[in-house]
Every structure is written in structure tokens, then in C-alpha cells.
Amino acid sequence: MAKYHTFTLFSDFEEAFGALADIRVHKIPGISIDDVTLQSPIEHPEIEEVLGDRPVHVQKFTFFGALFGVTFGFFFLAAAQASFLAQPQGGKPIIPLPSNFVLMYEMLIFFGVWTTVFAFIFLAGLVRKRGPIYSEQVNVDQIAVIIDVDEKNLDALKKLFTKHKALEIREEKLP
Amino acid sequence: MSFKNILENWSAFRKDAEAGGHHKYDHRWGMAINLDVCTGCNACSTACYAENNLAVVGKDRFEKGQAMHWMRIERYWDDADRQFPERGASFLPMMCQQCGAATCEPVCPVAATYHTPDGLNAQVYNRCIGSRYCSNNCPFRVRYFNFYSYYETWAEPLNQQLNPDISVRDKGVMEKCTFCVQRIRASNDKAKMENRAIADGEVQTACAQACPTGAIVFGDTMDPNSAVNKLWAKHEVKRGDYLSKKPKVNAEKRGYRIFEELNVDPSVMYLERVREEI
Amino acid sequence: MSGFKVNRRDFLRVLGWGGASTALVGCDMPTTVTLEEGKEDVVAYFMPEEYVIPGVGVWYASTCTQCAAGCGIHGRVREGRALKLEGNPESVINRGKTCMMGQAGVQAHYNPDRLTQPLMREGGALKPASWEVALKKIAEKTASANGDRVAWLSGAVSGHQAVLINDVLNTFGSKQHFVHETIHASVWQAVARDMLGDAQPVLRMDKAKSILSFGADFLGTWQSPVHFATQYAKFRSGKRGVLIQVEPKMSLTGGSADAWVAVRPGTEGILALGIAQNLVKRGWAKGEVPAKLKEVLAKYELGMVANATGVAGDRIQRITAALKDHAPSLVLAGAPVEGGENGYDAVSAVMLLNILLGNIGQTIEPAAQFAEARMQARSGGTRGALEFSKLAAAKKLDVAFISHANPVYHAPGFMKMKDAMANVGFKVVMTQFPDETAMQADVVLPLYSAIEDWGTHVAAYNGGVATLSFQQPLMEPLYKDTRGFGDVALSLLKQRKPKEYAAFNDYYAYLKASVSNMPAAVAKGDKNKDAAWNALLQKGVLETKATVGKFKVNTATVAAVADVSADVQFPYRLLPSARLGLWDGRHANSPWLQESPDQISKVVWGSWVEMHPVTAAKLGVKSGDYVRVTSAQGSLEAQAYVFNGIHPEAIAVPLGQGHQEYGRYAKGLGVNPYAILNPVIEKKTGEVAAYATRVSVTKLDKSARLVHMGSSDTQMGRKLVSTIPATVYRRTEGEA
Amino acid sequence: MHVNEKDINEQIRWAQINADVLRSMENPRPAYWVAVAVCIAMVSCAVLAEIYQYNTGLGVTNLNNPHMWDMYIATFVFWIGMSHSGTLLSAILHIIHADWRKPIYRFAEAMTTFSLMTAGFFPMIHLGRIWNLYWVLPYVSDRGVWPNFRSPLAWDAFAISTYLSASAVFLFIGMIPDLAICRDNAKGWRKTLYTTLSLGWRGDDRQWRNFRKTYMLLACFLIPLAVSVHSIVSADFAMSIMPGWHVTTFPPYFVAGALYSGCAAIITLFVILRYFFRFEEYMTTAIMEKTCKLTFAIAMVWTYLNLIEFASTWYGHNIYDKEVLIYKATGPYAWIFWTMIFCGSVAPFALAIQKWRRHMPTMFVVSLLLNLGMYFERWMIVAPTLSMAYEPHQFYMMYGSIVQWAIVFGSFGWFGLLFLIFVKIFPSVSMYEVKEMVFHRRRHLDHETAVKFGRRARDAGTPATDTH
């Protein structure tokens, strides 16, 4: 049975959320809220009410990045100070912890930041191939709901959306 | 590099100020300068110019404060407020004090100045990038910076006098008194070749050698028989931490180190100037 | 390196002593470079001579000629270049020490402004010439000259150079060898001769427990500074001696004084007599005081002396007491006293103190004169130049030889030396630099530097041990067209008496022969003259038999000291103070010495005018302002340096600057106080009274930062130079 | 009087927001090109001066033995300080949910990055041997030589590179959604540029979720980083033993000073952008007022820390410190010191007067005054201590030469140039955040929708303190 990729634009956010709320309560059998992707010009914390809590994992990468930074920092500095040409300075230890802490701290942040960034690019699914249908309006003032549905549910879905004052519904047969 | 190395020597690497830092000294070169016989005649200063290829900067740059006298004789008037300076002038030969806990060392971003096993503040000209932090952090203000390529100013054949034992510094490099390290090294090598210890008085800095009144005594303060060490002992000046040190048994002994309270542990001891009441 | 050549054979000859001398100096091993025709022969380092160790220096013994003191030095030579001079421990005079001028000896040698070839005057201008032409010219010009129409003006010379000068003059039948030194102790010597019967008594500071110095800058510029400095060190050690310095302007020695007493300039003699009177009155005078002397002293009671000198009466008493308590004492007189119009009397008064204090035979000992009279030091003062200029001005000279001196610069302005020399028929100047005098010459003969030349020296003040010290080349000449002084003198002699001197093809041969034939020289050591000769050169100094005189004390010459006259138009007294470093100006062409600050004022690269704050306030002057100093003879302009180390009635302008010629470092820098000296002559000695000029000072509306070293004049509460009273010193280490 | 007005007009149409901001990026007017030309001229002054200094040696800067540092270091500290504003506005205000920051934080962040790029030059320029600069970096050398990790200057190298990269990334990440908007509206090379930079952003809920978290994390990193960076810069002085430098309160003092000059600079640019890009809709007087209040608060903190330092020196009875303090206030540099006190502690009271802080030209002038004061502050920290420390023999008073002035002058040109380029290539107002702002404020205002969707207080975007 053929699958369709649907792309529906709303100008009224409340209606869009309404539609999603309906999907969530299985108004249309066979369509789960988990299939829904929402595109919007701004961030909508409150839609988790309807979309359900979808997990975010960036912070774990951050944590380990930072952890790596600080431990690497310590060993790197100690190694540089003691394993190569020692730099004896009057009345000072070769591995001066207090001043090394400063640099370990900087390294913690440095690695923390970069792992976060890369984790973000990876987890947010950036720089990868996108679906075919896209409207610039989602970056202006409209909100888009994207669902892949079986042919049999298509009409029901359209009905639901039109009921919720969808501006336009685009669909495309998936290979 | 190996972390094994670090872990094995951790305690050594962590040895800090109270323990004298990470050092097994084989010498600690030091000086004793008797201000009572120093006549401020400038012989030492000129000898230093002759020995260490110091640049003559000329009138304008001298006026700017860019002169390069590693060894300078400071002259103070203690009776400036009286009608006449009836106790004469106060002369102070001031050169790098080769501090045991030098403030110039830790601040150098590239470790161009470091502490040698014979207790000197080495200044590695080739490593210096000229951040000049060391000079800013020197309480004695005895570090001199090559603001220009002074070697260009040596008119032929004056440049033939340059001492080949030490380099001529180019612009952008910090320099300072080295306790005539080239002489120290030469005697070191000679002593090694004849495998014996360096005898006291075998190494003389240019200033000490020139000083007509012998006010400057140079030697190894670790050698118990050296003249300089005897002087330090006689005048009850000890190396090391100012705070943890016991006060002199006889407070009237003349020895003192300048800015002792800064705890930089200078290697130069001065003997107080004496004046008769007439 | 391109500048100089090494003639291999000569160099090996030098190395002979080098190898030996290292054994003595015990520092390095010999080395050499091989340079053929000035091109560096790199191959030589692949196949070095067996004694060559590239990069290792050799030390040669020689003698310093930066001033007339005659210190022994060791010169470090590496790859054929003289690099560094140090004192020769063998020398009785400096005991291995050097002063700043000695250190700068290498700069006199490597100076970029040296003359590199003879010059001859053609059509008013000096043109380069070859030695042959120059000597031929001299031969022509001097052929007919004879008798006292020939004169030789030189600086202080001694040893074989003095002998040669003498011989040259003899060939003309002339006796006129004038010696001119700006910084001298002639009056002191004259007084010592008259009162002690010994012109050059030995001063034993090491024995003295107190020194009362009337302006004698013995640590700086008086007779033999380094020698006195070494003595001073002993004087200060152990039971520390007391130094009292009485002078109108603080000298380097004054800087080290326990008590620095500012005295009204020109009245030092009065103060001396005052102290003498005080001694006698309090019955502290040693020995019998002649009645005549009592008369002289009678009127110098405290009140009068205090008025005249500006030194408080109780101070005078304390000084007297100090001299008595710290016996034996030593009383000296220096330039400010000697240079007064009453110089002779003043110095006599000072010498009288030595007699009254019983220092004669204690701290003042008879000189041990060098046995060979002809080689003794010819030291003189400004009188030589004065007489020379008179003769010249009166057109009484056909030929004048000038060496080791720069009279056109050094002679006081009133002598008009330049014009006077114009009246001399033919002037031969032997010098190293294009100085003011050379510019006036008909023929200029460029000399070796002291580091390239041979010579022997006998110190005028020898510290009680008669020695002959040797000057030998530390390296080959930088310029092939220069010659040694001895060689020049010899060639002059050969022009006159070819036969007598045919044996010696150069000064070296002459020296070797002459020294080897000296009895004292070969007395010790083996009979092999070469070995003895080499040993001498290794040692650098030769102790010789000395004739030790006996004192004949005589106080008859002591007379009242005339007070200095006041003057409304010229209220201040000018002190042309000398300074260790630039000396009388002969070292103004040394960058090191120019950049090395004056010890007291710390000014560099120029002249300044010292005045007391009181004076400055009166004139509305502060340090850095330009002032004009005017005397009857003329005026000069320089920046003021205001400090309280000078008597309010005095104005000091240091010697050393104000050259019209003399190379890039000296030319056009500062002013020369001698240019405005009044023509005052000290009657009894005929010396110029250099400290007797009165001047007026006016402020100019021009001011600039006085270029000097150091910022704060006070220690600002830091413990930099800490001072303790001598009582404490005696408690802790005085007995040591 | 008390003006109660909205930070922003919630009724503004979102398309309008896009249009306004995108317009600001298009067809520059002649004035723009003039500005660019001026900046380039200034930069070339600096370049010439640097070439001269490079060939001749540092002597041409009038530096001397006691006085080894001067305007280069002062200017370095000044620019580093300037950079803290962006962090403050975007990061701190972000995590405390002060949403009035949204219209103005973008250019503030840009300022952060650019002033860092300017500051970075000075430690290099002031080096005696700039060609060996890289020796400060911990690269693996065949000689096994490493930089001296004890040296505050080495810390600087680490801190600045970290801070520069972190703030640049922060700026970039925060800009991605806007870059997507630009991409949708751009043509030609801009299209390619924005397509690349926007990393294929489409505003999926997944992207937004990760975005929010990431942005928050970066903000949390940036704040301690900013503080540490200026503390480390202060360590350049505080780590020494020199009187007047060895001051315990320096780190907070520097940070306060940094935020201070940063905020002042924001006010300056605020006025400029508002005027030239006609951003009255977004950079409203209300927001200006808030910025001014913030600046005033910081100014008072700075003043307080100043007094703390003086007092601790005065009562500390360390003769050396005291000398320097007295020297500052009475010595040859006194005029600079008192100008600093005036600009830094007196002038800010203009910000407390509502009438004035609503008057843009006045604020423009005042903000310049504040920054002048802060520049003098930096210079007063560096120079007097050097001209007067322990060794009285080496006291020396000097002013920088024309060469130093030229390079410092040029640095402002460089900063201006970067900023001018930025405003024409990137949106200087954050479109999506302004939308969020108006969206949430609107929904916050009509109550029943809030009830209907059971919004809870914790929801992001709702200003916790936003009660007026």
C-alpha cells in the first residue's frame, strides 16, 4: 500500500495544536503522534503538551566533553612540564597545581563547548538530506505539521486538518 | 614522554618553595658587596660594558630611559634636606640579584628565563619573545630590553672588541647581568677537564675583578671555604625564606639583602655603609 | 676583522711570550688567527699550529697609558684581537685592579676615528701622505733648525720614550722639553720638595688611621687613583680609618668621606693654618714648634678662621680632635687648593699639618726613586704649556714636536695656543686621533694605539717601590700606515745621527738591547738575556734598584695665606673640576666613558654647571635650566645641576667636554671651562691657578631635561644603602 | 513622571519583523561606504605604524626600562572588557529569562566576538619579537620546549582563544534560525552563503528542542568563561608583586569594569543602529531604559570596588602601595586619574535620570564618556605602577609615542570595519527571538488561551520577572 508524505500549513497556532491534540487522542486510527513532525518559526515549549516529551541528549555529550577537557588538561600540562624539558624556576615546583588548575578550567570549557556544538549539529539532524516538501512560510509566521500516512488514512487526516482551518495541505506519494 | 615518569617523580616535581623548589644545586653563585669601601667610581660598570658587549645607546635614547647598564652605580643623597651632604653620598652598585625565588621567572610566557642548577637566573636570548613581563615584575628593575638593533650602532672597528664568548643581542630581546656566566662556564669546563672542583676565586666577574677597592666579592655560596660564603656567615645573612628564617643573633651585623621582605631570596648581600660622627 | 693584518712571523714572535705568559697568568692557552694580506685564511683552522686552540684567549702583560699613573695590565687576546683589559696583580701600583679609564683602553684602540695615515699640510689643508714623504719633509724642515729654536711639547712621559725625546732634542742642542698635564700635582710636589726635601713622598694610607684631605681627590683624579683606591681599601678595613674631606665641591673622594666639609673656595689654606693653630694651642703638636711659625699661626684663631672659611669654630675643633684621636693621620692637598692664586702657601699650610701631627716618617715616607734618572717620569703641570705658548707667540720657535698631548684643546683659553702655534715655523704632531692640535700641524704622524705599541714606563708616583713597567703589543696594528712612537722617534734620530742608531732597525730592538743592558734587569734570573727578557715581558713589571732619599723637614717656607678677594661683578668662583672617566678630556672620544655617568651628578653625554640650591634660588634656576657662566675671559652655556654638595660661593663646570675636533663621539659636545679661565698664575710655582677664576652666572630662558642616570635623589625610606655609626662597626668587627 | 510602556509592540506582524530586519541587510547607503572608507583609513594608519615599529624596534614607542608596558596592554584590557557585554546580555539575561534582551543581544554578541578579535592583536603587537609569537602556544616542538604554563601571559593565550571560539560559536548557533530565514529570502552568493551556514535548518520541533538545550548549555558555559577570562587578564597584574598591581580585588574589579565598558558600548551601538537602520520598533526606549538601569547598577559596583581598592591600600599601610596610590592621585598622571573618576563614577548618574536616558543623543554622548573613563582606568592600572614601584632609582614618567597612538587608533577602525561588514551580512536583530518575545507576551496577555492550553509557569519564554 502506498505511503504519502503530507505537509500542512496553519497560520493559527492554536488550531494547529488542536489538530495535534486530536491526533494524540487517536481520532484517526493508525496515525500516532510520534509520526508527527512540527515545523515552526519559533520555539514552542508548550507543544510538548501535545507532542509528548521527546528526549534531548545534548547535555550528556557536554558532560563527557567537559570531563575529558579537565582530565586531558591535567595530564597534558603535567606531561608537558615534567616529561620534556623541565623548566626549573627558583623556589617553584615543576608541576605547579594552582596555576595548572586555571588552564584545566579553561580546557574544561573549551572541550565542553565544542562537544556541545557538534552534538547539537548531530542530534538536531542538521546538515543532512531533508524531505522534499518545504514552505518558507514556516520561517515567517506559519506552522507546519508533517506526517507520513498510509493511503487509507489520508482523507481522514485531511478532513481533520481542514476542520482545524489548515491553510494548505500538500502531499506526495512516497516511493 | 611517559606518565610513568611523572608518577614516579611526582613528589620531586611537586617540591615547592619551602623545599627550595625543584633543585639540586651544584653551585650557588653569590656576591657580597661592601658599601663601606665602595667609592662609586664606575670601574665595575665600565668593566661590565667591556666584558658583556653592552650597547652604548647615545644621548637621546639615554634621555628616553633606554640605557643598558647591567651594572649601575646608584647614587643617593641622604642629607638632601641639610645645607650640605656632610656624610658624603650613598653609592649602591645594583645589578641582577640572581634571586633564589626570582619573580621574573614564573611570569615569562615562554620560559626564556629560568633557574640554572648553579643558582643563576639564566636569560635565554634565543627563546625570548620580548613580552617584557619579567622586567615589569623585577623589584630591582635590573632587566634591560633591546629596544633597537644596537649592534648596528657599533662603528667599525669598535665591533672588533666584542667578546666572542657571548652573543650580541638583537632588538626585541630582554637582557641582564649574568654574573659573567661565560667566565663561570669556562672555568667549569676547565675544572672538569682537569677533573677537580672549581677553586674559590678562580671565577671572577668582570666587576669584581676590576673593583679597585675590592668591595665586590664573588664566589660560590655553597662552598664553605669560599670568601663570599665566609662573609655571608660572618654577617649572618642566610639564604631562603624570609618568614621562616630566624632573626640574627647579633642584630648589629652589617649584612643585609635589599628588599628582603619581598622574599625573593637575592644572591647578593650588601654590607652596610659606616660613617664616623665628626 | 677586515681592518687588520697579521704578519705571521711577528705574530709567532709575540706568541713566544704569550705561551709563557699564560703559565704566569694561569688562565687560558695560547691561540692565534692566521690572516694573510687581511684575508681570513680559513684553511688554517683545518691545519692549526700545534699551540692553536680556536676560541681560547691569551693574556699578555702590558701597561695602561690611559693616564700617567702607569698601572700594569693584562690584555686578553683571542683570534688575534685584544678584547679585554684587566689589572696586572704583579704591579705594585694597581695590584691587579683597574679604573674605568683603564677598562676603556680597548676603545681608545678600536676607536673608529683613529688616524690611519700621515697627513701633510699642502696649501692650507691637511692632505694624506706616505711616511717616506712625511719624514723627508721633516728632514728638510729640521735640517737647519738648532738650539733653543726647537722645542718638544708632550704630556707626561717616562721610560725610554722620555729618553728618546731627550735624545732627539739633544741632536738639535735643545733643552726645551715642555711637559703639559691639565690634571697634575705640581704644587704639591713643589711644596713637598721644599718642606720635606722630597718631591714625591710616599703616602701610606694603609698605615693612616685618619685622612684629612683638602680637595685631594685621591680616589678619582689625584696622582695615582687606582693605587690610592687599593690603599684606601686597607685604610677602611680593620680598625676603620676616618676620612675627612674639606673642599668647595664634592669630589668622588668627598662622596666617601665620613665628614664632608664645605669650605669657602680658596680659603682651604686658612683653614689648614687654623687647624694648625688649634693643634699648637691645645698642645697636640708633635715636636718643637719654631717661634717664627708661632708668629705666623698667631692670628689664625678660631673666630677669624671660621669667618674666612665659613667652617664653624667647633667643627674645626672637632676635626682637630679627630686627627689627634685617630693617629697616625695623613693630610693631603689637591686641585682646589693647588689651583688657588695662593696655592703654594695653602699647600704649605697643609703640609705643615703633617709635620705638626708627626706624620712625617709615619704615614709619609721618602720616595724610592727609579735608579735611572733619564728614565724617570717627566710629570708637569700647566706651566709647560704656558712657557711653550709664550715662546711660540714670540716667534722664538722654528720647529715644534708635539706628542702625547693636545695643547690646543687643553691649554687655558687665555694662552691663545692656537694663534701661538701659528707663529711656529714647522709643527710635527704625533698622535692617534684627529684632535684640535693635529688640525694645526704641518705634519701629522699617526701613532700606534697603546695596545699596538712598545714602551716602558716609570710611574711618577710609584707607591714606594721603584719599578719599570713594560708596554708590549697585545695585537698587530689595525692600520698598516700607523707607527709606534718609539719607531718614529728613532727614525727622527736616524735622520740626524744615522750611525749611532743604525744597530736598531726598530724600537723593539732598541728596547730589548737597552733593557737587557740595565744592571737591575739581569741581576736576578739566569744570565741568558733572552730568557730574562721573556720573563720580564711575562711579568710585565721589573723591580729595579731604587735610591731612597731622606727627609729634611723645613717649615721656613710656611707663610700667611692670603684670603681670596671678593668681587661684585663676578660673585662666584669657578671650579673646573676634573672627573675620573673623561679625565681632562682625552677620553671624550670613548663611547663607554661618555655613557658612563659622572659619579656625583650622574650626568652623561655632556657638560653641566653645578651650583648650590641657595645660589640656584638666588638666580631662580632649577636643574635642567640653561645658564651662562661669564668670566673676564669669556662665557659658556650649559644646563644647571643643582645639588647641595657644593659651596654656595662656587660654580663648578667639569672638564672633559667642549671638543671642536676629536672624532664623532667628542666633537661638539658640551663646553670646556678652561676656555674662560682668567690668566692668574700661582707666583711661586708658575703654574696656572685654575681655581682662581671668578665668574658671574645668568639664567637663560631655555630649559630641558638634564640627561642623567637615575631618578630619585633620596632612598624614599627604602633600605637600599643603609648606614651605621662607626661605634657599632667597632663593636662588631672593628678589631678584625 | 513614570512612563509605563511596553518593551515592544506585541501586535507587530511577524512578516513585518522579517521584512524590517532583512531590509537592514540590503542596499547600503552612501553613509555606509563612507564609514567603511574611514575605518579602512584608520586601520592603514595602524598598519604603517606597526611596519615602522617592526623594522625599527620597540624603542619607537617611548617605552623604557621601568616602563615596559603601556598603551598596548591598556588597550588590550579595554577591548577584552568590551567583549563582556555580549556575554552579559545574551547569556546571563538569557538564563534569567529577561526577554527584553532579545531585540538587542545579537549585535552585542557580535561586539563580543569582534572586540575579542581586536584585543587579540595587542599582545602580539606589543611583543619584541612578534615573529616568534607562536612560541606561546602549546604546540609539540621537536625540541620538547613548551610554553611556561605558570605565566599569566600563557593563561591569556589559552583564555582568549577559548573565549573567542566559544563566543563565536555562541553567536553562530544563536543565528542559525535567522540564517535559515535569510536563506529563504536571499539570491546569488548570499544564497549559497546562507544555505551553507544555516546547516539546513527548517525549524523542526526536534531541531528546536536540541537548539534550546544547546543554547542554554552554551550560555551556562559562557558566563563562567567570561568571568574567568577577565580574571585571568587581571592576573597579568595581580599575579605580579608590583605595588598597585598585586591587588586581591583585581579579578572582580576587572570583571565589573569589563561589564561596565561593555554595557556602555552597547548603548553607543544601540543608538547608532536604532538611528541608521530605523529599528525604533525593536530597539525601543523602554529597552534602552532597562539597559541604562543595568549599566548604572554595574557602574555603581565598579565604583564600589574602586573605593574598596583605595581603602584597602590606604589602611593596608604598605608603603609601596600607598606611594603608588598617592602618585596616581597627585602625580603627573593625576589629570587622567580624576578624569577616570569623573567619567566612571560621576557621569553614570546621568543614566539615573529618566528624562536623559530616554534622550538618545544624550545617551550616546554619555556612553562615550563612560568608555573614555574605562579606557583611562585601564591605562591608570598599567602605567603608574611601572613608573613608580620599589626601586626609586628607576622611577620614570612617560607618555606613549605617536606610534602607539596610531596603532590604538587603528584598532577602533578595525573593530568598526568588522562590525560594518557584520551588519550588512548578518541580521543584527534576532528575528526568531523577537517573534518568540511578542508571541509569548501576547499569549501571556490573553488569559483564557493560557488556561486552555494549561500553560505552566515553568514554560520557557515567559519572563519570570515580567510583571509590568
Side-chain angles (χ1 to χ4, degrees), chain A residues 38 43 87 93 106 130 139, chain D residues 146 150 204-205 212 435:
Chain A
L38 187 82
E43 178 191 358
Q87 295 164 355
E106 292 301 317
R130 322 291 312 165
N139 273 327
Chain D
W146 292 88
R150 287 184 191 82
D204 298 356
D205 53 300
R212 186 178 54 194
K435 290 176 191 164

Side-chain angles (χ1 to χ4, degrees), chain B residues 64-69 72 135-136 140-145 147 174, chain D residues 62-69 386 394 396:
Chain B
K64 270 187 169 183
Q66 297 170 340
M68 306 280 281
H69 29 60
R72 59 173 191 246
S135 171
N136 287 346
F140 306 93
R141 291 272 187 258
V142 286
R143 293 177 146 266
Y144 300 93
F145 187 67
F147 284 105
M174 190 63 69
Chain D
N62 278 4
L63 294 171
N64 55 37
N65 171 294
H67 224 121
M68 291 290 182
W69 288 355
L386 289 178
Q394 291 301 97
Y396 197 100

Side-chain angles (χ1 to χ4, degrees), chain C residues 113-128 402 405-409 417-419 421-422 424 426-446 659-664 667:
Chain C
D113 297 314
R114 275 179 62 182
L115 289 170
T116 57
Q117 57 188 340
L119 304 172
M120 269 173 60
R121 191 167 295 281
E122 289 167 17
L126 284 170
K127 302 255 170 56
I402 299 175
N406 180 9
V408 175
Y409 167 78
M417 184 59 82
K418 198 167 168 181
D419 312 351
M421 279 183 65
V424 177
F426 181 67
K427 304 169 284 291
V428 180
V429 173
M430 301 159 224
T431 178
Q432 215 183 318
F433 301 105
D435 55 30
E436 289 82 350
T437 310
M439 292 304 121
Q440 305 307 317
D442 296 304
V443 175
V444 182
L445 301 178
H659 282 275
Q660 276 84 39
E661 299 292 339
Y662 212 44
R664 69 194 73 177
K667 194 169 178 176

Side-chain angles (χ1 to χ4, degrees), chain D residues 149-162:
Chain D
F149 298 111
R150 287 184 191 82
S151 167
L153 292 184
W155 302 351
D156 278 347
F158 277 74
I160 292 170
S161 45
T162 309

Side-chain angles (χ1 to χ4, degrees), chain B residues 75 160 165 252 256 273, chain C residues 78 81 600 720 723 731:
Chain B
R75 189 265 297 113
Q160 289 191 31
D165 294 347
E252 287 183 339
Y256 68 101
R273 166 175 168 271
Chain C
R78 204 188 123 168
R81 290 185 286 141
I600 298 298
L720 298 169
T723 305
R731 271 206 297 279

